[in-house]
Amino acid sequence: MTRGIRSESGKLRRVAIVGGGVAGLSATLRLAELGVPVDLYSLVPVRRSHSVVAQGGISGGDGSGTEEDARAFFEETIEAGEFLAHQPPVLGMALAAPQIVDLFDRMGVPFHRTAEGRVDRRRLSGGAVARAAFAGATTGQQILYALDEQVRRLEAEPALDERGLRVPGETLVKKLERWDFIEIVRDDAGTCVGLVAQDLVSMDIKAFAYDAVLLATGGPGAIFGKSAFGATTTSAAAAAVVRQGAVYANAEFIQMHPTAVSGANKQHVISDALRAEGARLWVPNSKTDRRPPREIPEKERDYFLERASSPLGNLSAADVATRAILSICLKEERGIFDAATETNSNAVYLDATHVGQRTLRARLGGAVDTWDKLLGVNVCTTPLKVFPAVSYSMGGLWVDYESGAGGAIAPVSPRNQATSIPGLYAAGEVEYQYHGANRLGGGSLLSCAYGGLLAAGAIAAYRSAMERSALDLPKSIFEKCQKANEKAYGDLLGRGQEDEEAENPYSLSDELGEAMLRDCTAERSDEALDALAKKLEDLAERAQKTKALDTSIRANDAAPAMRRLEGAVLLARVIAASARKRAESRGAHFKPAKPNRDDAAWLKTTLARWEGDAPKVVDTFDYSCAGKTLSQTTAIDTSLLKVRPRKTEGKA
Ligand SMILES: Cc1cc2nc3c(=O)[nH]c(=O)nc-3n(C[C@H](O)[C@H](O)[C@H](O)COP(=O)(O)OP(=O)(O)OC[C@H]3O[C@@H](n4cnc5c(N)ncnc54)[C@H](O)[C@@H]3O)c2cc1C
């Protein structure tokens, strides 16, 4: 075994983390604490990672810190996810939630406090109890910045050897911002031994050796065109490793946030926090009511989520609230009447005007002004017009876990957060482990932090158990990979420059987004998914015929965009194939032709992998971790909570 900080040939044994959102930064901190030197890659300065947009809060228990509350939160998460998540990791996350909020509190995250000075909690969507700690409505930003401050400190901290002596010129953390991960490097046995990345300023492509790589690259944003995802969620990193053999799980579970306002090129989510503070969703009783909303009296309004069938009311889980809004607007055609077009629009009112300026400003902080600047609407005085938007993926790279005492997760095992490619780990929204078919509000920031911390322990254990460090492998493995990627990039730059028929990659990206939004979000039909599969095959071919709209040698964003488009189409095909396969409705996956949950046939994980040039949904696969070969199936570990109908939404 190679336990030391140096490899046999005397090189410092670093690991790589790709992604500097909440998941990647949490993992970086813990690895550094464990004395493992980290290279941290990010497309953008880490403070601009997508985590910055998270508004409503982070689930952190009800404040009592009791095991009873952790168990109740575990049950709520499992039930909201319609029993599709393996239970031990979710229990592990629920038990760790209060400590994670404490950790962020100690780092200086300015959580809202109660009058007694304790960290305050609010309810978020799908939650019956107030468990989300929050910093106004900029919780993600505050957590991201607090983590980044800690990581900056570690950038100046020297790496120490086994005797506690400084390793000359080496720090515990090195940040490589504005670097684009392209793919992993694998040795002859298929183990991940490093990565290939491109410096987005010089455009140099380099292959690096690492003992392990953690992907924390966020959700599959680029696939859904105009969505609530940010520009850094390209999905290309996940697509690259799927192409290289990683298994992807539960791809069909794509969450729509019920309340978003359409912007020029993006959907702006209006956080659950507004509903947590009392905002209500409604449409006028009359389909053709032309009056401004504040002139419509209470008794002439339909507060459609406050009926008995939705016990969680305006804070119903995202899938339930989304379907209610879609039903009002698309099926019943009762969306807000637009006098200009004489039609019912795709919008309902989100109304907080009764809550009061003082409360909203005190509890939501800067968000009130941000929405005002962004949308030109003061939520304190004017109801917003909202409609659902794609905002999150429950599915992601398949990752493993090891159960420990009492059924919860073993805190240190090289299997935790390991993907199906040995040496490659994943944490955060890029993986599938914690939310099953539907995510509770506040659950993602928690699973990102928890998954990142867990992955760090796993990587340290994996690294200690290695027979031979990746740093001692022949240079030729890395040189070969680097050359192949340099050539591929050169080909991209040159492709189609003389061809007038060559396609515009940005237009193809729009086509992809439109097709996926139409056929693979809130409602799916097998006919539409079959047509979508053909459309995506066609897009995959056309993506090979695009040309770079800019051929600059330096700081070229156009050629990497072509690479990202190919990745987005690949992952879209995995999502569409997984959605086609699941013949039932569960959580965010809804097929009107099969409107019910079917546990007898479908209480199982969807596992998909890339075979040849197409996605394939599989029932089993083998993978190896730290020298052991393990067989995986679609079965779900339901050992801790008996499967039951989902009662919280009144659907049982
Ligand atoms: C509007 C909105 C509000 C939300 N509010 C909440 C909330 O209140 N509570 C909650 O729990 N969740 C919320 N979520 C969800 C939550 O914000 C995200 O799921 C979470 O922040 C994802 O974090 P992450 O660390 O996995 O990835 P990200 O924060 O997306 O970070 C990804 C990182 O990977 C890097 N990266 C990506 N590709 C590459 C590449 N090829 N090469 C190098 N680097 C790469 C990026 O630069 C970035 O640093 C919200 C989501 C949205 C859209």
Side-chain angles (χ1 to χ4, degrees), residues 475-490:
K475 258 186 166 176
S476 54
I477 297 182
F478 302 94
E479 284 168 357
K480 194 170 147 206
C481 256
Q482 182 170 315
K483 281 211 176 91
N485 277 284
E486 282 169 346
K487 177 170 180 325
Y489 182 68

Side-chain angles (χ1 to χ4, degrees), residues 433-500:
Q433 182 138 262
Y434 296 96
H435 306 291
N438 181 53
R439 172 180 73 89
L440 289 174
S444 177
L445 290 175
L446 174 63
S447 60
C448 287
Y450 178 70
L453 296 171
L454 199 64
I459 288 171
Y462 171 82
R463 183 171 164 274
S464 298
M466 286 174 93
E467 292 290 331
R468 182 189 193 189
S469 167
L471 283 291
D472 289 337
L473 290 171
K475 258 186 166 176
S476 54
I477 297 182
F478 302 94
E479 284 168 357
K480 194 170 147 206
C481 256
Q482 182 170 315
K483 281 211 176 91
N485 277 284
E486 282 169 346
K487 177 170 180 325
Y489 182 68
D491 291 349
L492 271 190
L493 266 186
R495 187 166 80 194
Q497 288 304 321
E498 307 301 324
D499 179 1
E500 286 190 0

Side-chain angles (χ1 to χ4, degrees), residues 248-416:
Y248 204 84
N250 289 347
E252 65 273 35
F253 294 97
I254 299 294
Q255 187 164 70
M256 297 192 81
H257 195 285
T259 60
V261 176
S262 192
N265 57 359
K266 186 176 190 310
Q267 304 282 14
H268 303 288
V269 159
I270 305 301
S271 170
D272 302 1
L274 193 61
R275 281 173 287 144
E277 300 311 332
R280 304 166 79 188
L281 286 159
W282 62 276
V283 286
N285 283 343
S286 160
K287 276 174 80 162
T288 51
D289 201 321
R290 293 161 182 268
R291 288 171 291 179
R294 297 198 70 180
E295 287 176 20
I296 302 176
E298 277 291 310
K299 61 179 188 321
E300 293 179 42
R301 299 176 178 190
D302 176 11
Y303 291 100
F304 52 89
L305 275 178
E306 297 178 21
R307 297 176 193 148
S309 56
S310 308
L312 296 180
N314 291 292
L315 278 173
S316 290
D319 58 336
V320 174
T322 291
R323 277 199 285 280
I325 296 172
L326 293 179
S327 173
I328 292 274
C329 293
L330 305 179
K331 291 211 178 79
E332 300 169 36
E333 297 182 352
R334 291 201 293 128
I336 299 165
F337 189 71
D338 179 356
T341 57
E342 293 282 320
T343 55
N344 289 84
S345 63
N346 282 342
V348 301
Y349 287 121
L350 174 63
D351 190 347
T353 54
H354 54 285
V355 179
Q357 181 112 234
R358 184 186 280 189
T359 306
L360 289 174
R361 287 198 176 278
R363 307 272 299 175
L364 300 175
V368 172
D369 292 327
T370 307
W371 292 328
D372 199 348
K373 281 198 192 108
L374 213 58
L375 313 169
V377 179
N378 179 352
V379 296
C380 307
T381 55
T382 312
L384 290 160
K385 293 178 182 176
V386 296
F387 193 70
V390 174
S391 65
Y392 185 81
S393 170
M394 274 70 71
L397 290 169
W398 176 87
V399 289
D400 201 3
Y401 66 91
E402 186 164 347
S403 300
I409 200 161
V412 179
S413 158
R415 285 175 59 185
N416 293 338

